[in-house]
């Protein structure tokens, strides 16, 4: 079936498009998953007035359906989002002579669990150029089949659609025919959308208090977009408690919050901080359904405040262990010791006859600052002097250094069970025995997912770390853990100038086991969260917002990875600050992409933290920082990914003087 769409542009001159369509009825999806109809619409420009031009503001264009040669009927798509989507498709057809898009109409009934679920799950989908959500928050879909008999009924399809996607041209992705492109899209959608993204549970809009609205604004690489966009899509109103003058208090980001309540936040909270939180929350006159903080130092007082307020929380005692690296090690059964001076440390080493190398790290540290591998007493003294006590306090942990490969392990727990688990390989840091960086600290340099460790070692990590979380006192929530595999069958080695895990040259002396380094009761940083969202289709920040509202049903629904697992190999490439000074370059990411578009095509997200004129601290001051990061991917192989990532490291250019 087909018809003619007419676009009226500047000065009422017209362009006409042949519009044809086909409908694919819902397939038999696995039980418990959402099924859908697909409406494929094809546009081809067939005529254009010589004087036709698009409006400077494309949304000023008017769309008609041609009934007869002399009769036209204006068509209303019902929303600005739908209108803009159609206009973009028509514009593409105008420049490329043809374009195609697909609409997804649910054939299961229920409330959408997250309004942006279609764009979220189609990140980096090869056949798709652009994805748009047409869903409203908590929208109910009846699940009835839609019949499209003529173009006047097209708005009915848009009203029933959860989302739409503009297809890439067949030539741009090396597909021979349009049918081949549509077949590829069918496969992608079955992989990405075959899970329960509708729910029969009637939703209620809820309000969540957040203590600390985000350290850095989006302009400075902060997590704000991730947190507040997720909240909007989930139907969560945010009440932000933070210092007066915080970036979210101003008018630019007012749409991200329902209210802003001033609350003094310190790097090291006072003993009565929980009571101050309670007073601040009670000063808000509206309903608050939950409270959360994504800052480790606020976890205990926020949990204590939640208990006083009668809000959902996990035991403050559990957070007290998870946010104290000494208590974490003791809980794990490690031979760990606590000191606050060089004299105390040397006394402990002699008394307990500890063998080097050892790790020392602040009890309440962050950003891997103040973490050192020490080989002897002289290094111990230098390392202790290098800990920035103003940022991390004087107290530090002493324990053995585990040489095994390190992983980041992320857990979603519901009712004590693992709802989702994934691990990525945390490549050696400069301070590791096999470190390659000029920066001799434990700042992150590279992280690759999925992990290359053998399945049996990943199972050991999953089972052991799961038990660790339960032992600490956590049965629900999101947890970002760092661990190593002691006596792993794998080790890092350089082959063909590329560093990667490979089988050990000399067999390990014992059986592999998990060595827990730390528990972070929150999602990982923006780099890792974005990498996992693109690779697996799961948004960790969204899950982190649902747990304090005790919304475990949606947690379980939104913890489904792609049916076929990770969509590609992915590496987080971190470009560290190697020396202090003044940053004298422009955006390092943009400069690289302009010079090397071939590398840009392999990057899903990037950010340059520094702007010209910014002063950066030298790593010797105990402050770790990055110039930029790149989230790199390859659909070819892990080896290809590592080669691309190394090329980015070699090619990125900036100056600190």
């Amino acid at each position: 079936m087909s018809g003619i769409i007419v676009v009226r542009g500047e000065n009422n001159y017209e362009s006409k498009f042949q519009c044809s369509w086909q409908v694919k009825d819902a397939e038999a999806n696995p039980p418990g998953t959402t099924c859908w109809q697909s409406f494929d619409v094809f546009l081809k420009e067939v005529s254009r007035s010589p004087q036709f031009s698009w409006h400077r503001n494309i949304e000023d264009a008017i769309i008609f359906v041609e009934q007869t040669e002399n009769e036209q009927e204006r068509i209303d798509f019902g929303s600005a989002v739908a209108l803009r989507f159609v206009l973009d498709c028509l514009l593409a057809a105008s420049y490329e002579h043809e374009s195609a898009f697909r609409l997804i109409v649910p054939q299961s009934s229920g409330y959408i669990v997250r309004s942006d679920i279609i764009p979220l799950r189609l990140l980096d989908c090869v056949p798709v150029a652009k994805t748009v959500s047409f869903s409203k928050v908590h929208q109910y879909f009846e699940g009835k089949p839609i019949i499209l008999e003529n173009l006047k009924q097209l708005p009915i399809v848009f009203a029933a659609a959860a989302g739409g996607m503009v297809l890439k041209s067949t030539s741009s992705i090396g597909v021979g025919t349009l049918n081949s492109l549509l077949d590829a899209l069918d496969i992608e959608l079955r992989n990405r959308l075959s899970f329960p993204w509708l729910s029969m549970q009637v939703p209620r809009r809820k309000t969540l208090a957040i203590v600390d609205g985000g350290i850095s604004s989006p302009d400075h690489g902060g997590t704000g977009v991730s947190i507040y966009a997720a909240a909007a899509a989930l139907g969560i109103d945010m009440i932000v408690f933070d210092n007066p003058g915080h970036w979210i208090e101003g008018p630019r980001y007012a749409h991200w919050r329902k209210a802003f309540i001033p609350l003094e936040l310190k790097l090291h909270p006072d003993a009565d901080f929980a009571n101050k939180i309670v007073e601040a929350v009670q000063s808000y006159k509206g309903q608050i359904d939950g409270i959360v903080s994504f800052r480790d130092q606020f976890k205990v007082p926020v949990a204590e405040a939640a208990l006083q307020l009668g809000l959902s929380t996990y035991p403050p005692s559990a957070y007290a262990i998870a946010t104290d690296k000494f208590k974490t090690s003791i809980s794990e059964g490690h031979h760990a010791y606590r000191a606050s001076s060089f004299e105390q440390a040397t006394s402990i080493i002699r008394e307990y006859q500890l063998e080097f190398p050892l790790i020392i790290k602040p009890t309440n540290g962050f950003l891997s600052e103040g973490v050192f591998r020490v080989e002897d007493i002289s290094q111990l003294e230098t390392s202790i002097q290098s800990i920035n006590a103003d940022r991390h306090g004087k107290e530090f942990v002493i324990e053995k250094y585990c040489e095994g490969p390190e992983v980041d392990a992320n857990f979603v727990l519901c009712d004590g069970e693992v709802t989702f688990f994934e691990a990525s390989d945390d490549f050696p840091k400069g301070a590791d025995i096999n470190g390659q960086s000029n920066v001799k600290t434990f700042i992150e340099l590279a992280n690759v997912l999925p992990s290359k460790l053998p399945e049996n070692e990943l199972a050991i990590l999953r089972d052991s770390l799961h038990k660790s979380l339960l032992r600490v006192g956590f049965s629900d929530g999101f947890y970002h853990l760092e661990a190593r595999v002691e006596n792993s069958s794998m080790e890092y080695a350089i082959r063909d100038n590329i560093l990667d895990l490979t089988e050990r040259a000399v067999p390990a002396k014992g059986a592999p086991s998990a060595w827990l380094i730390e528990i972070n009761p929150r999602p990982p940083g923006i780099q890792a969260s974005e990498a996992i969202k693109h690779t697996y289709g799961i948004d960790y920040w969204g899950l982190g917002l649902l747990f304090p509202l005790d919304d475990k049903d949606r947690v379980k629904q939104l913890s489904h990875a792609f049916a076929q697992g990770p969509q590609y190999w992915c590496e987080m490439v971190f470009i560290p600050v190697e020396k202090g000074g003044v940053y004298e370059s422009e955006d390092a990411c943009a400069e690289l992409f302009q010079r090397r578009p071939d590398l840009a095509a392999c990057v899903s997200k990037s950010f340059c933290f520094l702007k010209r004129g910014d002063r950066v601290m030298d790593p010797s001051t105990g402050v770790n920082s990055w110039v930029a990061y790149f989230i790199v991917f390859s659909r070819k192989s892990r080896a290809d990914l590592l080669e691309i990532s190394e090329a980015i490291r070699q090619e990125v250019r900036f100056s600190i003087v």
Side-chain angles (χ1 to χ4, degrees):
M1 290 182 283
S2 66
I4 297 294
I5 286 180
V6 180
V7 178
R8 195 167 292 171
E10 293 275 6
N11 300 317
N12 290 326
Y13 291 109
E14 296 178 347
S15 180
K16 295 185 178 183
F17 298 83
Q18 181 78 34
C19 179
S20 58
W21 62 89
Q22 66 182 25
V23 182
K24 293 184 179 180
D25 291 330
E27 299 182 9
N29 279 9
T33 63
T34 300
C35 56
W36 64 89
Q37 265 183 311
S38 295
F39 285 78
D40 294 328
V41 180
F42 313 101
L43 299 168
K44 185 174 183 179
E45 190 175 41
V46 292
S47 68
R48 180 195 298 193
S49 168
Q51 292 83 20
F52 174 83
S53 63
W54 290 90
H55 284 279
R56 186 168 298 175
N57 179 6
I58 189 175
E59 293 174 10
D60 291 336
I62 304 174
I63 301 177
F64 299 85
V65 171
E66 187 173 82
Q67 306 281 45
T68 66
E69 188 174 345
N70 298 313
E71 183 183 358
Q72 298 175 350
E73 182 175 334
R74 185 169 178 173
I75 188 168
D76 181 4
F77 285 94
S79 74
V81 174
L83 173 62
R84 179 69 199 221
F85 178 84
V86 173
L87 286 169
D88 284 344
C89 295
L90 290 166
L91 185 63
S94 177
Y95 287 117
E96 301 176 15
H97 302 298
E98 60 183 4
S99 68
F101 65 88
R102 174 173 289 190
L103 302 178
I104 300 297
V105 177
Q107 291 302 279
S108 304
S109 59
Y111 300 91
I112 196 157
V113 295
R114 179 171 169 153
S115 62
D116 64 350
I117 194 65
I118 302 297
L120 171 62
R121 298 290 286 197
L122 266 72
L123 287 170
D124 296 339
C125 181
V126 173
V128 174
K130 176 184 178 180
T131 312
V132 173
S133 173
F134 303 128
S135 304
K136 299 179 179 64
V137 173
H138 297 158
Q139 182 173 341
Y140 181 79
F141 290 90
E142 295 183 351
K144 296 179 179 179
I146 302 295
I147 299 174
L148 180 58
E149 295 180 335
N150 57 67
L151 281 178
K152 289 193 298 181
Q153 296 174 330
L154 191 56
I156 297 174
V157 183
F158 272 91
M165 57 217 68
V166 183
L167 277 61
K168 292 179 181 175
S169 65
T170 54
S171 59
S172 68
I173 60 173
V175 175
T177 65
L178 181 58
N179 285 336
S180 298
L181 181 65
L182 295 172
D183 289 343
L185 181 57
D186 289 339
I187 293 171
E188 287 282 3
L189 293 183
R190 284 195 294 272
N191 178 39
R192 295 165 182 264
L193 297 181
S194 295
F195 73 102
W197 44 276
L198 296 180
S199 170
M200 289 307 296
Q201 182 175 346
V202 180
R204 180 175 71 85
R205 194 170 188 92
K206 293 186 177 181
T207 300
L208 181 64
I210 183 168
V211 177
D212 181 85
I215 300 174
S216 302
S217 71
D219 289 343
H220 294 87
T223 56
V225 174
S226 301
I227 294 172
Y228 298 106
L234 291 165
I236 300 172
D237 293 322
M238 303 296 289
I239 311 296
V240 181
F241 295 81
D242 211 315
N243 291 303
H246 186 270
W247 59 266
I248 203 170
E249 186 180 9
R252 180 178 176 185
Y253 298 106
H255 60 289
W256 279 357
R257 53 174 172 79
K258 188 175 183 179
F260 180 88
I261 309 294
L263 176 65
E264 184 182 15
L265 304 187
K266 299 179 180 178
L267 184 60
H268 305 292
D270 297 330
D272 64 341
F273 186 48
N275 295 328
K276 292 180 179 178
I277 295 172
V278 171
E279 292 172 5
V281 170
Q282 291 175 337
S283 73
Y284 177 71
K285 302 307 179 184
Q287 172 76 22
I288 288 182
D289 301 292
I291 187 169
V292 71
S293 179
F294 295 122
R295 292 283 294 280
D296 292 347
Q297 65 265 42
F298 301 145
K299 284 290 186 176
V300 172
V302 166
E304 292 171 345
L307 289 177
Q308 294 185 49
L309 294 164
L311 299 174
S312 176
T313 187
Y314 311 117
S317 58
Y319 286 121
I321 294 172
T323 58
D324 183 305
K325 292 177 174 56
F326 174 71
K327 293 179 181 178
T328 300
S329 292
I330 294 300
S331 172
E332 196 67 7
H334 295 174
H335 295 293
Y337 307 89
R338 184 165 46 189
S340 57
S341 68
F342 171 66
E343 290 73 22
Q344 288 181 4
T346 52
S347 176
I348 288 169
I349 290 171
R350 292 190 182 104
E351 179 180 354
Y352 295 98
Q353 299 181 345
L354 303 184
E355 296 182 1
F356 292 99
L358 295 168
I359 280 286
I360 68 164
K361 55 186 177 182
T363 303
N364 298 295
F366 50 86
L367 291 176
S368 299
E369 293 180 357
V371 183
F372 298 95
R373 175 179 59 83
V374 296
E375 299 284 351
D376 51 41
I377 292 294
S378 62
Q379 279 192 7
L380 177 69
E381 183 173 19
T382 303
S383 299
I384 293 171
Q385 291 172 349
S386 299
I387 295 175
N388 191 317
D390 292 336
R391 287 166 67 84
H392 307 292
K394 294 182 178 180
E395 197 171 78
F396 54 88
V397 183
I398 307 168
E399 63 182 358
K400 83 168 190 177
Y401 170 73
C402 178
E403 294 185 18
E406 185 174 341
V407 298
D408 282 359
N410 294 307
F411 285 82
V412 180
L413 296 186
C414 282
D415 301 318
E417 299 297 322
V418 178
T419 302
F420 179 72
F421 164 80
E422 57 84 19
S424 56
D425 295 322
D426 204 347
F427 272 47
K429 284 87 166 176
D432 271 312
I433 284 179
N434 49 358
Q436 305 293 314
S437 172
N438 293 328
V439 182
K440 300 305 178 183
T441 69
F442 281 92
I443 190 172
E444 300 274 352
L445 298 174
N447 196 295
V448 176
L449 54 149
S451 174
K452 194 181 178 181
L453 291 173
E455 287 299 323
N456 70 304
E457 294 185 12
L458 290 173
I460 289 170
L461 282 168
R462 173 187 163 124
D463 295 345
S464 176
L465 299 179
H466 180 205
K467 291 176 183 176
S468 297
L469 290 170
L470 297 176
R471 183 168 54 249
V472 166
F474 294 123
S475 58
D476 299 292
F478 184 94
Y479 303 96
H480 170 63
L481 281 66
E482 296 182 13
R484 291 180 184 258
V485 179
E486 191 168 25
N487 294 319
S488 172
S489 62
M490 307 289 282
E491 65 181 358
Y492 282 95
I494 297 177
R495 303 284 170 82
D496 299 323
N497 296 319
I498 297 294
L499 178 70
D500 196 10
L501 281 171
T502 186
E503 289 189 14
R504 289 179 61 134
V506 178
K509 296 179 180 179
S513 62
W515 178 270
L516 176 64
I517 297 172
E518 64 183 39
I519 298 172
N520 300 286
R522 54 165 173 76
I526 188 170
Q527 302 94 332
S529 295
E530 286 293 322
I532 284 138
K533 184 165 67 174
H534 284 250
T535 305
Y536 290 94
I538 297 177
D539 177 20
Y540 285 169
W541 291 106
L543 300 181
L545 296 172
L546 291 171
F547 273 114
L549 296 170
D550 202 27
D551 194 343
K552 288 187 280 189
D553 288 334
R554 281 202 288 178
V555 166
K556 292 174 183 177
Q557 289 175 282
L558 293 169
S559 295
H560 286 268
F562 299 138
Q564 301 300 318
Q567 67 165 313
Y568 45 43
W569 289 270
C570 178
E571 177 171 353
M572 292 160 258
V573 175
F574 300 88
I575 308 299
V577 170
E578 296 187 355
K579 67 173 185 176
V582 177
Y583 184 75
E584 292 291 351
S585 301
E586 302 301 328
D587 187 312
C589 304
E591 190 279 332
L592 173 65
F593 295 157
Q594 183 177 19
R595 185 165 36 85
R596 291 291 304 270
D598 57 321
L599 295 178
C602 304
V603 175
S604 61
K605 194 175 183 66
S606 64
F607 190 82
C608 181
F609 292 102
L610 301 179
K611 294 177 173 57
R612 181 180 288 276
D614 285 351
R615 180 168 291 279
V616 294
M617 303 293 287
D618 193 273
S620 64
T621 63
V623 176
N624 291 338
S625 58
W626 295 293
V627 175
Y629 73 84
F630 301 84
I631 299 177
V632 188
F633 66 88
S634 171
R635 300 182 191 276
K636 182 179 177 181
S637 67
R638 179 173 167 120
D640 182 59
L641 170 72
L642 297 176
E643 289 182 9
I644 297 167
S645 299
E646 186 58 29
I648 287 175
R649 289 188 190 89
Q650 297 299 323
E651 288 288 333
V652 68
R653 296 175 183 171
F654 58 89
S655 175
I656 295 176
V657 296

